[in-house]
Amino acid sequence: MKIRDIIRDLEVIAPAVLADEGDKIGLQVGDSEREVSRIVCAVDPTRAVVDFAVDSGAELLVLHHPLIFTPVASLATGDPLADILVRLISGGTAAYVMHTNYDAAEGGINDVLADRLGVRETRLLAVRRPERLMKLVVYVPEESCDAVRDAMAEAGAGHIGKYSHCSFRSAGMGTFLPLAGADPYVGEVGRLEEAREFRLEMIVPEWKLESVVSSMLGVHPYEEVAYDIVALENTPLGHGYGRVGTLERAMTLREFRGVVEESLGYTETRMIGDVDRVIRTVALCGGSGRSLIRDAKAAGADVYVTGDVGHHDMLGADALGLAVIDASHYYTEAPGMRSLADKLAGMYAAKHIDVEFRI
């Protein structure tokens, strides 16, 4: 596989459209046409991480935090950023960034953090980007209906709440007349044909529409596929930061702090709140989430887990009656990148591509 093939998969996991405006995501260093035998995943582009990736022979370094934020004026050695860029380029290692898009993505930084902390039945903490729903309607021969439905579902169509593969089909009779040069699935050129077909309908988030249509066309047997795309007025879906959910069992704040530290492997958490308070509803945001303290309180959370919470932010949360556990920027995001490495390792095992998470 080439780097561009890996990027295509990464953009399914964390679509670029989910990124905040101006966020520096995507391929920042390297040749997308290079073949890949080894991938390293990491949170930060530290010199130690970059040296490890290059020295271990990785052709691709997948990062959460961007390496390049602003235009680079010079690659002259002696500047820390320039030194890292030169090391990557000279070592032949590309760098790809998935930042706020991976924060917002289903199964991304925040969902992995919630799962690691035992937080269930999650919902968004803060909606940043409402997203319209579309309905894709396609006409399919009876024998291909299930295959087309499944392909659309795998690409992201037909998800309603906690249900997938949601669709509706109605039977009917389609007519067509193949013209000169046509290669019809059934029938003959120059003769009007009738075919029993199903009208298959599935709901699709607007940002997944291109992928769903491509998947549908890839398995549909017709040379020319008849389909409609209808914009819906339903309440839009949302993408954004953080999650809110519940613990499987209530516990004291003291106990929950222990769960956080053990789950994340970080024993230097900072906390404010009554240690004997009973905790059941948890808000969380991987990385720097101090701006969402009021959102966490409004969501009914008993405690908010995030990183980079300042002294006055802690006092403000306490005044609101919200407990806060600062588990650091890094340690609240590392599980998501470790999970990504595991996912890629499983995806590429048959292609003999090694994938490793690096601290």
Side-chain angles (χ1 to χ4, degrees), residues 24 44-45 68 72 142 148 150 183 187 190 201 218 280 298 325 333:
K24 308 304 182 184
D44 296 304
I68 302 172
V72 179
E142 184 175 9
V148 172
D150 291 345
D183 183 19
E201 307 178 25
R280 186 63 187 268
I325 298 175
E333 292 184 327

Side-chain angles (χ1 to χ4, degrees), residues 4 14 28 33-34 47 68 80 83 110 124 147 180 224 258 285 296-297 307 310 313 328 337 343:
R4 59 176 167 81
Q28 292 198 322
E33 293 299 315
R34 189 168 186 201
R47 183 58 191 255
I68 302 172
D83 288 345
N110 288 293
L124 282 178
E224 298 291 346
C285 182
K297 177 62 179 177
D313 300 311
S328 90
M337 293 306 290
K343 180 180 295 185

Side-chain angles (χ1 to χ4, degrees), residues 243-258:
R243 300 292 186 266
V244 182
T246 57
L247 299 173
E248 291 184 350
R249 69 171 183 87
M251 63 183 73
T252 65
L253 180 59
R254 180 189 289 107
E255 289 178 289
F256 184 63
R257 182 184 193 177

